[in-house]
Amino acid sequence: MSTLEIKDLHVSIDTEQGEVEILKGVSLTINSGETHAIMGPNGSGKSTLAQAIAGHPAYNVTSGTVLLDGEDVLEMEVDERAQAGLFLAMQYPVEVPGVSMTNFLRTAKTALDGEAPTIRTWAKDVREAMENLEMDQTFATRNVNEGFSGGEKKRAEILQLELFKPKFAILDETDSGLDIDALRVVSDGVNRAQENNGMGSLLITHYTRILRYIKPDFVHVFVDGKIVDSGGAELADRLEDEGYVNYEKTEATA
Amino acid sequence: MANTDATTLDDGPALLIPGMGEEGETLVVKQAAGQQSETEEVKFGTSRADRATSFNLADFPVLTGEEEDWRFTPLHRLAGLHLPDGDDALLTGVEPKVSVTEHEGVTIETVGRDDTRLGSFMVPDDRTSAAAWASFTEATVITVADNLEIDSPITVSVEGNSTDPAAQHIYVAVGANAHVNLVINQTGKATVSQNIEFAVGEGANVNVTSIQAWDDETVHVGSQQASLGKDSTFKHVVITYGGSLVRLTPITRFAGEGATTNMYGLYFADAGQHLEHRIFIDHSTNNCTSDALYKGALQGKGARTVWVGDVLIRGNTSGTDSYEKNENLLLSEGAQADSIPNLEIETGIIDSGGHASSVGRFDEQQLFYLMARGIPEPLARKLIVRGFLNEIIQKIGIEEVETAVTEVMEDEIADLEL
């Protein structure tokens, strides 16, 4: 049983106009096996939350804490956060020319586990995970994300999620740009990781569509850098009908 | 070198936008030059088409360092290969020893400078190349029979053992429809100006890898010129990492229609090295294809690279497909890379043409992505550099050479202070 605790997190970015605060006090606790959906309009800071937890250098944490089983995540380097059990499925996975998926996956797995995976079981694990995600085996020989379609990039992220077995995954708009079949395949992958490894997840999305495939235990409404409402799965349905308008109005008059 | 044919476009259409012609910037440069030429001489040819080519050393004046094609080269480090004292001196040192692996259907000869085949497929286009042409006494001639297909590479070992300024000439003729791999391995210490000519027969498929793995003190200027027969394919891969100063000028010309050239290169400059590559692809006939990709990594104080990519698509051609790209990765402070792609299009009837160029440090997004997967920063940086270099190594297409070059690059990366 693990816990990821985000307490009163404030994050800013440097712009040409100076430092701008994006996250204005986010608090959230996720336990193993739980799925938390974060929903909110464009520009509300959802992706900033994801990037800040993963440690992207462009985001300055000005106050607050992030604890993984009591350990201070914000004190860790980016790679140490991953080694501690955090995984960020990125909205825009990055191309790394000349580095094959096979080489990348094995190098990352070795770094995460502190030892090289057994060659035979690893090859089998990779092959099976690719089959489950309906990925062509030639993916293994292609360079990381290079020339991948949008859908292929997202599948490759979930492939890593299944192989690396993190304690907590942050899925940053994994559903964007996916057609309905790809959405199902990718969602199945997330569900498998949750069932097999007891992973907790933070699912960032604009749309309720993915929540048909990945059932959230909690839904949080994110507006202007803060969580403004929380509830169960039924909250997502309400958002589907009403949108974020009511919350944004409240913010404006507050 | 006055721009003698610059007035040919005087009857062309009026400019739509000042400074921009209908068919690209180059035309406008030529038009402007044409207008100027009545009153003043244009100092340098504005088009690669105007570059002098000659077997006569005197046609290339003693270098001042201000010439367009020499302005990046530190002349004082050429060790006299450019004959700075005039046209009477020659390069008289002992040239690097050439040995070639034996294959059935491949003839290897050593011939005198009066052999009429020499110079059939190349003409010197700068002073060092002309100096080598004026100076060499014997040449190595490699002839591949028509229709010969061999997998194992013809390996040409060029081994230097003297630093007296020397001249060298190598002539390679590949017969019609032959398929061969050729590896040129340049090692040892040398001060040499070298001309290598490749005659590629009709329908032939020739894959050349030229590896400059010289000792630290070596100074090497080299012209490698290829003439491509109808429907032939010529791949030329340059791997340069050894030597004090290496300046290569690979050139592809199309003697027949429908040919394809792929010109690739990888250079890795350490502290104090000057590695310069100037390619030229001359699309003078129809339906030819060229693809050029050079990549460079630089590390250490005073590491210096220059890449110039001249691609000329002449006005009398159609159906050309051409792309060139150069990318440089600066791995430390104090290194400098220059990158100049020159795409000149004199015709509107091309299939496609393009160029790209970059000089940069690490891609922070790539670094973040790999680290976010648990890979520590030093290893992530190495992966990125390795990947960057691999793109060219993968193009060699000869497994044992790819393996050997990979090992060399692993050694270079191992030394990196990242």
Side-chain angles (χ1 to χ4, degrees):
Chain A
M1 175 74 177
S2 290
T3 306
L4 180 66
E5 284 176 276
I6 303 159
K7 288 186 204 164
D8 196 27
L9 191 66
H10 290 252
V11 173
S12 65
I13 57 167
D14 297 322
T15 71
E16 284 173 11
Q17 286 76 41
E19 201 170 4
V20 174
E21 186 169 59
I22 307 290
L23 297 189
K24 301 169 177 174
V26 178
S27 297
L28 181 64
T29 299
I30 307 171
N31 295 304
S32 293
E34 293 177 357
T35 299
H36 293 245
I38 288 200
M39 305 191 65
N42 281 324
S44 57
K46 303 186 302 295
S47 287
T48 298
L49 177 63
Q51 299 277 341
I53 295 171
H56 193 287
Y59 299 87
N60 313 319
V61 176
T62 50
S63 68
T65 54
V66 178
L67 302 176
L68 175 57
D69 294 333
E71 298 282 326
D72 187 350
V73 169
L74 299 178
E75 284 298 306
M76 300 177 191
E77 296 294 329
V78 175
D79 56 315
E80 292 169 339
R81 297 179 194 205
Q83 290 158 15
L86 292 178
F87 181 90
L88 171 61
M90 298 196 196
Q91 187 179 359
Y92 303 109
V94 181
E95 297 188 4
V96 190
V99 178
S100 72
M101 283 296 288
T102 302
N103 182 13
F104 162 67
L105 291 172
R106 197 179 49 240
T107 305
K109 184 68 175 171
T110 303
L112 289 165
D113 292 0
E115 59 178 357
T118 320
I119 290 172
R120 210 192 311 149
T121 50
W122 176 245
K124 183 167 144 285
D125 288 350
V126 173
R127 199 174 55 244
E128 284 178 3
M130 287 176 64
E131 279 168 10
N132 285 336
L133 289 164
E134 299 176 17
M135 295 170 82
D136 194 284
Q137 295 293 329
T138 57
F139 262 86
T141 57
R142 291 171 66 184
N143 294 330
V144 176
N145 292 321
E146 195 178 47
F148 288 18
S149 70
E152 288 169 339
K153 284 182 180 172
K154 297 298 173 73
R155 283 176 206 233
E157 293 292 284
I158 302 307
L159 174 71
Q160 295 169 50
L161 178 71
E162 289 205 67
L163 290 170
F164 298 161
K165 303 183 180 16
K167 290 176 184 164
F168 292 98
I170 303 162
L171 302 153
D172 189 6
E173 298 197 21
T174 297
D175 52 339
S176 67
L178 293 183
D179 63 33
I180 198 75
D181 294 323
L183 184 64
R184 178 186 49 76
V185 168
V186 161
S187 301
D188 287 349
V190 176
N191 290 331
R192 270 194 305 274
Q194 195 137 21
E195 281 162 29
N196 297 340
N197 314 324
M199 179 182 82
S201 44
L202 185 62
L203 189 64
I204 293 171
T205 183
H206 282 297
Y207 306 108
T208 52
R209 199 176 61 152
I210 193 172
L211 303 181
R212 276 180 243 152
Y213 300 93
I214 303 174
K215 292 290 172 206
D217 300 299
F218 304 94
V219 173
H220 308 280
V221 182
F222 207 82
V223 176
D224 192 27
K226 289 199 294 283
I227 291 172
V228 295
D229 197 5
S230 295
E234 75 290 346
L235 180 53
D237 297 331
R238 213 173 78 208
L239 288 170
E240 176 84 356
D241 295 336
E242 301 173 7
Y244 303 112
V245 171
N246 293 332
Y247 295 108
E248 288 175 302
K249 272 185 195 152
T250 313
E251 280 300 304
T253 54
Chain B
M1 280 179 272
N3 191 347
T4 50
D5 67 350
T7 53
T8 53
L9 290 158
D10 276 357
D11 300 331
L15 295 186
L16 301 173
I17 305 166
M20 178 60 76
E22 213 172 7
E23 294 158 357
E25 288 170 282
T26 302
L27 277 178
V28 176
V29 173
K30 290 191 69 173
Q31 283 182 320
Q35 285 148 12
Q36 273 174 22
S37 62
E38 288 171 23
T39 51
E40 57 177 310
E41 193 187 59
V42 177
K43 193 171 180 188
F44 302 119
T46 50
S47 167
R48 179 67 195 235
D50 302 327
R51 177 85 61 86
T53 59
S54 171
F55 288 103
N56 185 4
L57 178 60
D59 288 337
F60 302 94
V62 171
L63 301 179
T64 63
E66 287 175 17
E67 297 79 3
E68 174 58 29
D69 59 330
W70 288 100
R71 64 193 174 104
F72 294 113
T73 315
L75 299 183
H76 66 278
R77 288 174 60 183
L78 282 176
L81 289 173
H82 54 315
L83 299 179
D85 299 326
D87 301 343
D88 297 332
L90 290 176
L91 306 170
T92 54
V94 178
E95 76 242 43
K97 184 171 177 288
V98 177
S99 43
V100 187
T101 52
E102 291 181 9
H103 305 263
E104 201 170 321
V106 179
T107 312
I108 301 144
E109 304 162 72
T110 303
V111 302
R113 59 175 289 116
D114 54 347
D115 189 292
T116 53
R117 289 170 294 183
L118 306 180
S120 313
F121 297 96
M122 71 160 288
V123 187
D125 75 338
D126 62 26
R127 183 163 173 90
T128 50
S129 177
W133 177 263
S135 303
F136 80 96
T137 52
E138 286 186 330
T140 301
V141 171
I142 301 165
T143 311
V144 176
D146 289 355
N147 304 310
L148 184 70
E149 290 192 26
I150 44 175
D151 283 336
S152 66
I154 302 164
T155 302
V156 182
S157 299
V158 178
E159 198 176 351
N161 195 29
S162 161
T163 52
D164 297 331
Q168 182 153 56
H169 196 99
I170 298 171
Y171 172 99
V172 181
V174 178
N177 302 311
H179 286 227
V180 290
N181 297 306
L182 188 106
V183 179
I184 302 169
N185 246 324
Q186 317 224 53
T187 59
K189 59 175 179 178
T191 300
V192 64
S193 181
Q194 185 181 60
N195 287 320
I196 301 180
E197 55 188 313
F198 301 101
V200 179
E202 285 191 10
N205 189 327
V206 180
N207 177 18
V208 173
T209 302
S210 180
I211 302 172
Q212 287 62 244
W214 301 106
D215 289 351
D216 290 346
E217 67 263 51
T218 292
V219 178
H220 171 210
V221 293
S223 176
Q224 300 198 2
Q225 302 196 20
S227 173
L228 273 55
K230 185 173 179 293
D231 298 327
S232 65
T233 300
F234 180 68
K235 181 166 76 178
H236 187 260
V237 186
V238 166
I239 309 285
T240 303
Y241 58 90
S244 166
L245 182 149
V246 177
R247 183 185 192 272
L248 284 188
T249 51
I251 296 174
T252 296
R253 294 193 173 88
F254 296 96
E257 297 190 359
T260 298
T261 187
N262 298 298
M263 299 182 76
Y264 303 127
L266 173 62
Y267 43 89
F268 199 117
D270 291 319
Q273 280 186 304
H274 178 102
L275 306 181
E276 179 167 348
H277 297 85
R278 293 173 166 269
I279 66 165
F280 176 37
I281 300 169
D282 187 354
H283 281 280
S284 57
T285 188
N286 298 334
N287 304 320
C288 290
T289 301
S290 64
D291 180 35
L293 176 64
Y294 270 65
K295 297 182 90 165
L298 297 83
Q299 75 144 351
K301 202 162 188 278
R304 181 81 166 87
T305 66
V306 177
W307 184 83
V308 178
D310 288 339
V311 176
L312 173 62
I313 303 174
R314 292 185 188 257
N316 57 344
T317 65
S318 64
T320 296
D321 184 347
S322 173
Y323 190 75
E324 60 167 341
K325 183 161 92 170
N326 173 234
E327 294 180 320
N328 297 281
L329 188 55
L330 300 174
L331 298 171
S332 67
E333 298 294 324
Q336 187 186 341
D338 281 283
S339 176
I340 304 173
N342 292 319
L343 175 60
E344 287 181 78
I345 304 173
E346 295 182 337
T347 171
I349 317 167
I350 62 167
D351 280 4
S352 74
H355 64 77
S357 155
S358 70
V359 178
R361 298 187 187 280
F362 272 100
D363 184 325
E364 295 298 326
Q365 295 298 338
Q366 290 178 1
L367 202 56
F368 175 68
Y369 187 80
L370 295 178
M371 288 179 70
R373 299 304 180 244
I375 301 172
E377 183 169 348
L379 183 55
R381 286 181 182 270
K382 275 185 191 176
L383 267 183
I384 293 168
V385 180
R386 200 179 283 155
F388 178 83
L389 303 172
N390 261 350
E391 192 180 358
I392 299 296
I393 297 174
Q394 289 165 355
K395 293 191 184 295
I396 294 174
I398 307 167
E399 197 180 334
E400 62 263 37
V401 179
E402 288 185 6
T403 305
V405 173
T406 299
E407 278 174 22
V408 168
M409 291 303 150
E410 286 298 316
D411 284 349
E412 295 272 6
I413 296 170
D415 295 341
L416 283 184
E417 291 168 16
L418 295 170

